[in-house]
Amino acid sequence: IKESPEHQFILALAYLHIQKDPIKSYQLLQKSAQSGNSFALKNLALFYQRGIGVQKNLSITHFILSRMDTGETDMLLANIFL
């Protein structure tokens, strides 16, 4: 069964807050964001800002947030996850 982007997002939050597994949470957020979930993308920026499940990287945080402000999410996803 293929999970929807919304389901992946909810699972990511559960893995972060209940299972205490930030790496699995990051992976699920990434999948959800790649499927077009803007909430997941914004949370990925937070993960990069705080170093949750991934190495802290403020450049990526800024890149995500600035592209989201301009609505360039398709290009953004291609640049981050390739």
Side-chain angles (χ1 to χ4, degrees):
I1 298 173
K2 186 175 178 180
E3 300 167 348
S4 71
E6 293 78 16
H7 185 234
Q8 291 168 336
F9 178 72
I10 292 168
L11 279 175
L13 296 179
Y15 270 98
L16 181 63
H17 297 292
I18 297 169
Q19 296 294 327
K20 307 296 185 202
D21 188 344
I23 294 172
K24 181 68 176 176
S25 179
Y26 169 81
Q27 293 167 344
L28 287 164
L29 281 177
Q30 185 179 27
K31 285 181 183 180
S32 182
Q34 286 174 315
S35 297
N37 187 320
S38 62
F39 293 111
L41 190 55
K42 195 165 194 171
N43 275 270
L44 279 177
L46 181 65
F47 273 48
Y48 279 105
Q49 180 183 31
R50 296 184 180 172
I52 301 170
V54 67
Q55 185 175 357
K56 186 176 182 176
N57 190 324
L58 298 179
S59 295
I60 293 177
T61 299
H62 176 71
F63 183 75
I64 291 172
L65 295 177
S66 66
R67 293 305 186 275
M68 285 187 74
D69 287 343
T70 62
E72 299 176 37
T73 55
D74 290 341
M75 180 186 287
L76 169 66
L77 293 171
N79 285 319
I80 292 176
F81 301 124
L82 288 180

